[in-house]
Every structure is written in structure tokens, then in C-alpha cells.
Amino acid sequence: DLYLYQDDLPTFPDEEAFACIERELGVSLDSIYSTITPSPVAAASLGQVYKAKLKNSGQTVAVKVQRPGIEKAIGLDFYLIRGLGGLINKYVDFITSDVVALIDEFVFRVYQELNYVQEGQNARRFKKLYADKEDIMVPDIFWEYTSGKVLTMEWVEGVKLNQQEVLDLVNTGIQCSLRQLLEYGYFHADPHPGNLLATPEGKLAFLDFGMMSETPEEARFAIIGHVVHLVNRDYEAMAQDYYALKFLSPDVDVTPIVPALQNFFDDALNYTVSELNFKTLVDGLGAVFYQYPFNVPAYYALILRSLTVLEGLALYADPNFKVLAASYPYFAKRLLTDPNPYLRDALVELLFKDGRFRWARLENLLEQGSKDRDFSAKDALQPVLKLLLAPDGEELRRLVVKEAVYVSEAVVLTSVVDTYNSIPTVLRPPILNGNGRGPLPMTDAEVLRIREFRDLVVRVWGLLQTSEDFDPALLQPILQVLQQPEARSLGGRVIGGVTQRLAARLLQQVLRTPPPVPTS
């Protein structure tokens, strides 16, 4: 049996563990601990853990001791696995990824786990990045009692997340994982049930920081963009994303990949994206990857491992749980607030289609983004303003001017119709009541469509106003922007467009043929 992959390994003798502690720390057990459990409270493939109380402070700690001879044992395992990987690379044509590279990445991470000083440094970095949230807990490291083979950290009371009554914290874990993967890029690559605890205070505690990995900065933005393209069913853009993700070399033609993506996702997206689970996406994309020369980077394999483990925990509690649905608020917040040019372009791409602004999409983004506790309407406004008046924003300005005409027209027209309808019939001006259709040449369906459009715009504005940090003073930058020559020109074009369209409608009203007078 491969030694590394056994989960229920027997413990090694306590005498060996205690001797290792004294040898590594250079002092006797009695001088360090007032108490230590005579046998381990937990054991895994690489080591085992004792519960102890420090003599000098009375602090309760967890003491992890490395299994003797583990380097030699797993070295043989990896030698055999790597040889198998070489054979797969050479003879298995349908696997285009470099299997040996994936194995080497995994081996590198495992050997990092054998260095407990490195693990302590990982824990310190993880805590600095993510323990700022009140529902995340990361134990402290006691450096004076830590060495390459002995790790001493704060003892954490709690229950495992695979216990039904605490699985509401799984969503907290997913939100934290999104921050890890897509915000800072430094992530816990082994979030299995034994490494996650629910504390009595209702916090999610992360343990065991041996296996960590990083998402490259370019890939973080590309992943968010990929989700946007998936929502839009923009398969050509999805295929282009694989260059940024380093899945394909620049010389690979993605044209034949587009129909494969379309065939899978059009079938998978019979329901909304939020109803998909992560495993379905992974399986579907895996089928596509096997057909074309994809080379999956090693970090991506660890991302998949991390997310599938978390989804498995969630599905244990709720078979209908969907990771993508739980992730939407984070993606919406990042799209609306992140000033990164890649994400700003993705937002514009999401909101504009066929020359029109998709207010319903913005409404959905605001509704979803506001569910994220870090969402800020203030942050959502500033990057958009900067992009609108940037030197390379001419195309966006043209679209905004066009949309401003539509919005202004909708507000004015519905106000005219509402005012007209409030006038008693006998008092309505004859020229406007000539054929009983109202003040403007519009059918009931047209009036309804324009009214629904106006109401949608009003709802979007209402969502911004209900944001906790919304303050009229936040609009001051907009006033400053409108003082710029280009912005004044923008305003003039809006007014001119509305005036022209209203004049055309009124002229139609005046010139339309009145109904024939019935003869007796």
C-alpha cells in the first residue's frame, strides 16, 4: 500500500514522540509542560498531535510531532508515482496535461508539510491575511517550542464541520476560500473536515497549514472574468480566457473549442447558473479538456481540490446546496467595486449588449453584491466614473450617452402620459385627444414597456440609496467630473438627443390623421 494515502494509520510509539520533542527543542518534557496527554489526541499520515499545558504560562497547546522515517517512506511512494506519471505522459494520448509536473507540484507541497517551521510561517501569513474577519479563527504559533519536526500552536476547542449541526459555517468557509483564491491568491489547499473546526463562539477555525498554494495574479482576474463569460454564455470569450489562465499556449487555435463549450454549457445551463454545482462544471470542463491540448497548471488542480472538498462538506448538510449560488455575492461585489482594468472591462461587457445597457443585470449585481458584507456602493461608483472619462473610454461614453437619452426619454414620456391621464377627459386639449390614444403616438404596449423600463431604473437607483454607506456627499465627485469640458459636452449630447426624440414624437402627434367623423 502507498503509505502516504492511508487515512487511518496507527499511531507510532509515544516514547518516540516524546524523545523527538526533547531532541528537537533541546530541553526535557518536564521543563516545558505541566501536563501532556500520554497518548495522541489525533493521528495522520505525517504526524500525530498531543494536548499539553505550557509550564511557564499555563496556556493549553496542541503539539504536533512528525512521524519517524516519514521522508524515506513517502520518498519511495513518490518515486513510484512519478515513474507512472512519465508513462502516462508518453503513452496516454488523451491526457494532454503534464502529469509529471502535476505530481512534482504535489510532491513539493507535501515535502513542505514536513517542515514544521514552514508550516508555522504559513499559519502566520494566513492569519495576517484572513483572520481580520470576525468569524474566522487561526491559532497562534509558539515559536520557542517549534522546530522542523515539532509544531506547537494554540489549542482550539471545537467540532468538525462534518457534523450536521454546524454546517452553516460551511458558507463562511466558502466565502473565505473565495478571498483566498481570488483576492490575495494565498490559499489553504487541504480544507478537509479534520482541518476545519466550528468553535463554541461560532467561528470557523482553520488548522494544519502544511499544504498551501498560490493563485497567480493574472489568473485571479481571469477566473472572475471566466465566471462573467459563463453567466453571459459568451463561449468565444470563455475560450480566450484559457490563454490568460495558462491552460493553452498562445499558438493554439481556440476556434474549435468554442462549439465544445457551447454544447456542454447550453445543456448544463438549461437551469440558471446558480443551480449548477461545482462538480458538474468540473466534470463538464474535464470532458472538454481531454479533447483539446489543454495543459492544466498545478495550482489549478489544488484549487479544484479545495473547492470540491468544501462543496462536499456543504452537500453533506444540504443535498441542494450550490457553491456557485453561494459565491455570487462575492463575484458581484468584485465586479462592481474592483478597479482592476480586467474586471472593469468584464463589468462593461456584462452590462452592455448590442449597444444597450442591461439595467436588469445591474439590478441583479447590486442585489447580489449587497449580500456581501464588504460591499460598498461608494466603491462601486468611483471606478465606473474613472473609466467613463478615461482617454480610452470613447466607446463607453457613446454607449452611456445613448442610454442616457433612453432613460431621460422614459422619465419624460411617462411623466407626460401620467399627467395627461390625471386630467378629466372633458378638459383634455382637443389636439391631443383627437383619436383617443393620448398625448403621444404610442400604443398601450409601448407605454407599458417604457414604464417598466423607467421603474427598473428607479429600482436600481433605490438599491444604491439603500446601501449603508450611501451619502449624497458621495455624488460630489460626479459634480466635479461634470465640470470637465468633455463631461459638459456629454450632457449637451444627452439633452440634444432627448429633445430631438421628443420633438419627433410630438410632431407625429400633431400631424396624425384624426379619425373620420361618422355620418348620420
Side-chain angles (χ1 to χ4, degrees):
D1 291 339
L2 291 178
Y3 190 80
L4 180 65
Y5 296 100
Q6 298 182 45
D7 293 324
D8 52 350
L9 290 168
T11 61
F12 58 89
D14 299 306
E15 294 77 12
E16 291 187 35
F18 296 151
C20 177
I21 295 172
E22 293 184 334
R23 184 171 60 251
E24 287 288 311
L25 301 184
V27 291
S28 66
L29 245 60
D30 291 343
S31 65
I32 306 173
Y33 313 115
S34 56
T35 62
I36 186 169
T37 53
S39 58
V41 294
S45 55
L46 302 184
Q48 56 197 39
V49 177
Y50 295 84
K51 183 178 181 180
K53 183 173 288 189
L54 294 177
K55 199 166 190 176
N56 65 350
S57 66
Q59 176 85 37
T60 303
V61 294
V63 183
K64 183 159 72 170
V65 186
Q66 193 172 111
R67 185 178 293 273
I70 189 65
E71 300 100 325
K72 182 177 179 180
I74 65 173
L76 177 60
D77 286 352
F78 284 138
Y79 176 79
L80 297 173
I81 295 172
R82 200 174 190 278
L84 180 60
L87 293 174
I88 293 173
N89 279 350
K90 187 174 182 179
Y91 296 110
V92 182
D93 295 335
F94 67 87
I95 296 180
T96 55
S97 295
D98 186 346
V99 176
V100 171
L102 293 174
I103 293 171
D104 286 347
E105 173 70 12
F106 184 68
V107 171
F108 173 72
R109 300 299 172 187
V110 170
Y111 271 100
Q112 274 195 325
E113 284 195 76
L114 297 181
N115 182 350
Y116 285 176
V117 172
Q118 178 65 52
E119 180 174 346
Q121 292 170 344
N122 293 344
R124 180 167 57 186
R125 181 181 177 189
F126 190 90
K127 181 167 188 168
K128 181 179 179 181
L129 291 176
Y130 307 116
D132 58 326
K133 303 303 179 185
E134 60 184 14
D135 51 6
I136 299 295
M137 188 270 181
V138 178
D140 288 324
I141 303 299
F142 292 82
W143 292 104
E144 63 270 38
Y145 306 118
T146 293
S147 71
K149 295 185 178 182
V150 175
L151 176 65
T152 303
M153 66 169 60
E154 178 184 358
W155 179 264
V156 180
E157 293 288 350
V159 295
K160 292 182 180 180
L161 283 195
N162 59 1
Q163 298 188 25
Q164 196 88 21
E165 63 274 11
V166 297
L167 277 167
D168 57 324
L169 278 176
V170 170
N171 190 53
T172 300
I174 290 171
Q175 299 305 316
C176 185
S177 291
L178 290 171
R179 291 185 71 208
Q180 293 173 49
L181 297 171
L182 303 175
E183 203 161 317
Y184 295 106
Y186 185 66
F187 67 94
H188 196 300
D190 194 21
H192 64 71
N195 290 340
L196 298 170
L197 291 181
T199 72
E201 298 78 26
K203 294 186 177 186
L204 176 64
F206 283 81
L207 308 175
D208 196 338
F209 300 91
M211 185 172 288
M212 310 295 290
S213 188
E214 298 195 45
T215 311
E217 184 177 23
E218 185 181 9
R220 295 176 225 161
F221 299 125
I223 291 170
I224 296 174
H226 201 58
V227 172
V228 175
H229 298 146
L230 171 61
V231 172
N232 274 340
R233 303 193 187 210
D234 188 345
Y235 303 120
E236 291 184 6
M238 285 181 68
Q240 294 292 328
D241 291 334
Y242 296 130
Y243 294 131
L245 289 167
K246 309 298 184 187
F247 285 14
L248 294 171
S249 62
D251 59 335
V252 175
D253 180 16
V254 297
T255 305
I257 298 173
V258 175
L261 291 172
Q262 183 170 359
N263 289 338
F264 167 69
F265 282 109
D266 277 352
D267 181 56
L269 297 179
N270 283 334
Y271 303 99
T272 63
V273 176
S274 62
E275 292 178 306
L276 287 174
N277 61 45
F278 190 72
K279 186 176 183 302
T280 300
L281 288 179
V282 171
D283 290 347
L285 286 174
V288 174
F289 288 177
Y290 280 131
Q291 299 175 43
Y292 300 97
F294 281 89
N295 184 22
V296 179
Y299 74 85
Y300 185 71
L302 291 174
I303 289 175
L304 294 184
R305 183 174 184 268
S306 175
L307 290 178
T308 50
V309 167
L310 282 171
E311 183 173 63
L313 281 171
L315 292 174
Y316 178 85
D318 179 7
N320 296 316
F321 187 89
K322 300 294 183 290
V323 165
L324 287 176
S327 304
Y328 266 5
Y330 178 85
F331 281 101
K333 179 205 70 175
R334 286 293 299 275
L335 277 176
L336 288 168
T337 63
D338 198 308
N340 177 268
Y342 188 99
L343 296 186
R344 289 277 63 80
D345 291 344
L347 178 61
V348 172
E349 180 182 319
L350 182 67
L351 295 180
F352 285 95
K353 186 175 184 181
D354 300 328
R356 286 300 308 270
F357 188 84
R358 297 196 285 181
W359 289 91
R361 184 72 74 185
L362 178 57
E363 180 183 31
N364 178 260
L365 283 174
L366 287 170
E367 287 178 341
Q368 293 293 328
S370 63
K371 295 176 183 177
D372 188 285
R373 62 186 176 186
D374 296 327
F375 175 76
S376 167
K378 173 186 65 176
D379 294 338
L381 289 172
Q382 299 307 314
V384 173
L385 286 174
K386 291 178 182 178
L387 179 62
L388 181 61
L389 294 181
D392 57 348
E394 176 58 34
E395 176 64 19
L396 178 60
R397 288 192 287 275
R398 184 186 65 79
L399 292 172
V400 168
V401 168
K402 182 179 178 181
E403 196 62 31
V405 171
Y406 286 126
V407 172
S408 302
E409 182 188 45
V411 172
V412 173
L413 289 182
T414 51
S415 298
V416 170
V417 171
D418 291 343
T419 302
Y420 176 81
N421 290 336
S422 68
I423 301 173
T425 304
V426 296
L427 299 179
R428 293 175 183 175
I431 190 172
L432 297 179
N433 202 28
N435 60 11
R437 293 182 60 196
L440 295 171
M442 298 167 61
T443 65
D444 291 342
E446 287 179 305
V447 172
L448 178 62
R449 177 181 58 80
I450 292 177
R451 191 184 301 280
E452 288 176 344
F453 173 58
R454 180 204 63 182
D455 292 345
L456 177 57
V457 174
V458 170
R459 287 200 305 273
V460 168
W461 177 243
L463 284 170
L464 287 171
Q465 287 183 305
T466 55
S467 178
E468 289 185 3
D469 64 350
F470 183 83
D471 184 333
L474 296 174
L475 299 180
Q476 187 63 32
I478 299 178
L479 297 178
Q480 294 173 0
V481 166
L482 292 177
Q483 299 301 313
Q484 299 179 15
E486 187 174 0
R488 288 200 295 270
S489 170
L490 183 76
R493 288 154 68 187
V494 171
I495 295 172
V498 174
T499 302
Q500 184 180 30
R501 291 166 66 88
L502 284 176
R505 288 186 182 276
L506 288 170
L507 186 61
Q508 279 183 284
Q509 173 67 45
V510 172
L511 296 179
R512 68 186 179 190
T513 304
V517 178
T519 57
S520 54

